Amino acid sequence: MIIAAESSCLCGKCGNCIIHNRSICRAASPEALVQLNRISHLRTYPRGSVIQAQGEHCDIVGNVVDGVVKLSSASVHGDDHIVGLLFPSDFFGRLFSEETRFSYEAATDVTLCAMSKHQFERFLTDYPAIEHEMHKAKLDELDAVREWAAITNGHTTMQRIATLLYVFSRRTKNQHLRGDTLASQIVHIPLSRRDIADYLGTTPETLSRNIQTLARAKVIRNINAKHFELLNPAELIRQSGETRADLDRIATA
């Protein structure tokens, strides 16, 4: 694991944290926030660094504050497959386990609000309201994973691509800062075309053709390989084959 830059959270940052109202911390009492400040610290990781490797001893958990974390799983043949993405406010790490089941990699420069796993487990025992919030968040996450599995198994490639672009438009940094309004906006795609194709179960060539189709229809405008401008959110939703409510559940879980 690459050693990350680390800074203390003892400044009382929880009350002013940019993800506070979207993370499990929103259920914390003032007393609980004091304890979270005491046991948490900020860690930064450069893009491409491995935060925790699959099978490694699991020693930290926490929330993504900034950036995107890529979860991948290695097959018996050594091939890596992306199984999930973590965006700002998502919970990082595996509680009540000594071993990391997936590899966590910084898809962009990443800042984590990190805590010792064992300290946070003891904290949950002392503050059941946050433990309850954790259970709710994980159930929402499980529902979103099931919905995503249904999309990847039963939808066309275009529908899967439109769904993922919608998720990026809701979860990337620009949307986090601007609120929930889906106006014309520049959206950052933190993954390579090859990684996106792997995640969607298609090929980079098919992915590029479908993105060009969306661009010609003026649903999006390609800026470069990592950025596009969302021009027509309603048409992107129609192309996904899902309702906006269903897409929002996937994007916000």
Side-chain angles (χ1 to χ4, degrees):
M1 183 176 79
I2 293 179
I3 301 299
E6 184 173 312
S7 61
S8 172
C9 287
L10 292 176
C11 59
K13 62 93 192 165
C14 287
N16 299 313
C17 178
I18 60 174
I19 64 166
H20 175 79
N21 290 330
R22 299 173 56 204
S23 70
I24 58 168
C25 303
R26 65 182 179 268
S29 65
E31 178 188 354
L33 283 179
V34 170
Q35 293 303 313
L36 282 174
N37 274 320
R38 186 178 62 81
I39 67 174
S40 62
H41 48 271
L42 295 178
R43 286 190 178 186
T44 58
Y45 296 84
R47 179 174 63 88
S49 60
V50 176
I51 300 168
Q52 283 193 340
Q54 184 174 348
E56 187 177 70
H57 177 72
C58 180
D59 57 353
I60 63 168
V61 296
N63 288 105
V64 180
V65 175
D66 191 31
V68 179
V69 175
K70 178 174 66 174
L71 278 71
S72 60
S73 178
S75 70
V76 292
H77 303 293
D79 299 322
D80 285 333
H81 297 285
I82 299 174
V83 297
L85 300 170
L86 299 180
F87 293 91
S89 79
D90 287 340
F91 190 80
F92 163 88
R94 178 67 158 83
L95 292 169
F96 310 109
S97 176
E98 295 303 318
E99 186 177 286
T100 303
R101 298 186 181 181
F102 302 104
S103 175
Y104 292 81
E105 180 182 336
T108 65
D109 291 343
V110 166
T111 300
L112 300 178
C113 179
M115 295 164 280
S116 157
K117 180 176 71 71
H118 295 301
Q119 282 186 316
F120 188 65
E121 288 171 353
R122 290 195 297 270
F123 171 84
L124 291 179
T125 301
D126 294 333
Y127 297 95
I130 296 184
E131 184 176 32
H132 179 68
E133 193 71 20
M134 284 283 301
H135 289 158
K136 286 171 56 182
K138 288 305 175 184
L139 288 173
D140 287 343
E141 181 181 321
L142 181 59
D143 286 344
V145 168
R146 287 168 173 165
E147 289 192 60
W148 181 250
I151 288 172
T152 54
N153 289 330
H155 285 49
T156 66
T157 300
M158 173 59 84
Q159 288 172 327
R160 282 177 272 161
I161 292 170
T163 297
L164 190 63
L165 293 182
Y166 183 90
V167 170
F168 283 139
S169 76
R170 293 298 308 270
R171 297 303 306 272
T172 47
K173 181 177 181 180
N174 64 299
Q175 185 62 32
H176 172 62
L177 294 176
R178 292 177 58 183
D180 292 331
T181 301
L182 274 176
S184 176
Q185 59 183 284
I186 306 302
V187 179
H188 175 228
I189 303 177
L191 303 177
S192 68
R193 292 288 173 94
R194 184 171 297 278
D195 279 345
I196 294 173
D198 174 43
Y199 188 50
L200 295 177
T202 187
T203 65
E205 295 76 18
T206 300
L207 173 67
S208 293
R209 284 196 299 270
N210 280 272
I211 288 177
Q212 289 303 318
T213 296
L214 291 173
R216 287 193 296 270
K218 299 189 183 306
V219 178
I220 63 172
R221 179 176 70 87
N222 284 319
I223 298 174
N224 54 44
K226 293 285 188 179
H227 297 85
F228 69 90
E229 182 180 10
L230 178 56
L231 302 175
N232 191 339
E235 179 61 16
L236 187 66
I237 292 170
R238 191 189 71 81
Q239 291 280 1
S240 75
E242 297 291 320
T243 66
R244 179 166 178 165
D246 287 340
L247 291 176
D248 284 342
R249 277 197 299 273
I250 295 171
T252 58

